Amino acid sequence: VVTAVVDRVPRKPREHRGLLRALALYARSHPSARFLEHGRELNRHVYGRVRALLLERGDEIGHPAPEQAIEVGLMFVDAATREAILFDDLGALPRRLSDAALTRELAAAWLAYLGVRARKKPRRT
């Protein structure tokens, strides 16, 4: 579930980078109560759906506060993706990660934060 969620995060920002960057900058420099509430509603909906999906697998989560870890993990995935795709003009990383590498690394980080143990891959015989 984490990998599927993280895999979806960079798609739209990459496709609509210019528009989403302009919208993000506008929203931060011209706060509108109505716009902000719409954003909060959208985030509550998305975070709620992801939280529910992951809590169905709560027995796999080793973090002492699973709901909090799910929300914080989603926040850092969202923020890191936004920074890497929309605002990485200064090249925070020495080299740009592909979307596949970004997805793989963020999913691994979130799973580690959740305390999910890596599944052993079956040996080929």
Side-chain angles (χ1 to χ4, degrees):
V1 172
V2 165
T3 301
V5 169
V6 175
D7 185 50
R8 292 187 166 296
V9 173
R11 288 184 189 171
K12 292 298 178 189
R14 182 72 67 204
E15 290 173 14
H16 305 288
R17 181 179 186 262
L19 175 64
L20 291 172
R21 181 179 178 162
L23 183 60
L25 290 172
Y26 181 82
R28 283 166 175 74
S29 61
H30 300 87
S32 154
R34 185 174 170 206
F35 183 80
L36 291 173
E37 184 53 33
H38 179 71
R40 284 186 196 106
E41 281 182 38
L42 178 62
N43 283 339
R44 278 192 294 267
H45 173 74
V46 171
Y47 278 43
R49 298 280 305 199
V50 171
R51 183 176 48 248
L53 281 170
L54 291 176
L55 286 175
E56 287 176 9
R57 294 148 182 87
D59 59 324
E60 298 177 38
I61 297 174
H63 193 283
E67 287 192 45
Q68 179 178 309
I70 290 166
E71 292 177 1
V72 170
L74 186 54
M75 180 182 66
F76 74 62
V77 166
D78 184 42
T81 302
R82 183 175 39 254
E83 182 63 28
I85 293 175
L86 299 184
F87 299 107
D88 191 29
D89 298 335
L90 299 176
L93 293 174
R95 62 184 176 87
R96 184 185 167 285
L97 292 176
S98 68
D99 288 351
L102 180 64
T103 296
R104 187 175 51 252
E105 296 300 323
L106 289 174
W110 193 7
L111 287 167
Y113 179 64
L114 288 170
V116 174
R117 293 180 188 212
R119 292 186 179 153
K120 293 182 180 179
K121 294 181 181 179
R123 289 186 185 181
R124 291 188 176 195
T125 55

